[in-house]
Amino acid sequence: SNGRPISETGSQMSVVASYFRYFAGFCDKIQGSTIPTTASHFNYTVRVPLGVVGQLTPWNHPLMIASKKLAPALAAGCTVVLKPSEWAPLTPTEIGKIALEAGLPPGVLNIVNGFGPTAGKALASDPRLGKLDLTGGTETGRTVAQIAGANLTPLQFELGGKAPAIVFEDVSVDDAANGCAFASFIASGQTSIPGSRATLPRPVYEPFVGTLPKD
């Protein structure tokens, strides 16, 4: 739903399925612990669901990022209100339908479509949230943190960043240059970890730069 090449999208489907398989294994393994103390005391911990988890997901990996947020939250016994990007809402909405067909009770997973300044703001500012999880741009993160911070809502953010590639002398220069170009320009460079910098030894510099695609 966001114009990605079929080759990229297809390869992500197995990853999406693996998130749910992996976290499904945690459902009966979320346990507390009994802590040794004096004979006159009994000390133990119990893990309980946070409650309602709000999730704001981006357009660039709409199904994969939504899935890696949904699977652990649901496995931990939380309910979820997910607001996908208005630029790519189709696949996150579809996973809500699939969840109902699979037997998830209505109201456990809620997909709420809308624009960031309205639907996203309403979700981030709701005091009933047990946690808010956002993947998006750095400026969006600052704004959302200020809104949710008024309620002291626990936050988890993945924002914009850079992921430098490290090139060694024994590497194939063609492979390294092509790999770095792909890492830089996948999704037009709009990913959380674009490989937009390369760190390389001096002997490799000239052939590497000369091999990088120019168009």
Side-chain angles (χ1 to χ4, degrees):
S1 61
N2 65 345
R4 296 185 77 89
I6 291 176
S7 58
E8 293 177 19
T9 305
S11 65
Q12 289 184 1
M13 291 305 98
S14 61
V15 177
V16 168
S18 72
Y19 290 142
F20 287 97
R21 292 193 187 99
Y22 180 83
F23 285 103
F26 272 94
C27 290
D28 60 353
K29 300 177 183 66
I30 303 174
Q31 302 161 349
S33 58
T34 302
I35 302 162
T37 184
T38 62
S40 60
H41 292 80
F42 182 55
N43 190 4
Y44 67 96
T45 63
V46 177
R47 296 182 180 272
V48 297
L50 289 169
V52 181
V53 175
Q55 299 180 343
L56 301 168
T57 57
W59 65 269
N60 55 352
H61 302 279
L63 184 57
M64 187 171 74
I65 291 179
S67 297
K68 74 176 182 179
K69 294 182 186 298
L70 285 174
L74 294 174
C78 298
T79 58
V80 175
V81 178
L82 186 146
K83 205 294 283 184
S85 169
E86 57 268 31
W87 294 348
L90 296 183
T91 48
T93 301
E94 192 65 26
I95 204 170
K97 297 177 182 178
I98 293 171
L100 289 175
E101 293 174 3
L104 197 68
V108 173
L109 170 57
N110 309 274
I111 311 296
V112 178
N113 284 298
F115 295 102
T118 51
K121 182 179 180 181
L123 180 58
S125 61
D126 197 306
R128 294 171 293 179
L129 291 181
K131 181 180 181 179
L132 182 64
D133 187 355
L134 161 72
T135 297
T138 302
E139 289 305 315
T140 300
R142 289 195 179 100
T143 301
V144 171
Q146 290 174 351
I147 294 170
N151 298 318
L152 296 180
T153 301
L155 305 175
Q156 179 172 319
F157 289 175
E158 180 192 359
L159 306 178
K162 302 289 185 181
I166 300 175
V167 180
F168 293 97
E169 290 189 54
D170 60 347
V171 76
S172 163
V173 173
D174 286 342
D175 290 344
N178 288 329
C180 288
F182 177 81
S184 296
F185 296 106
I186 184 174
S188 299
Q190 299 201 50
T191 66
S192 302
I193 50 171
S196 52
R197 296 198 306 267
T199 301
L200 55 157
R202 292 186 183 277
V204 180
Y205 177 80
E206 291 295 341
F208 178 87
V209 171
T211 306
L212 279 174
K214 301 300 188 295
D215 298 325

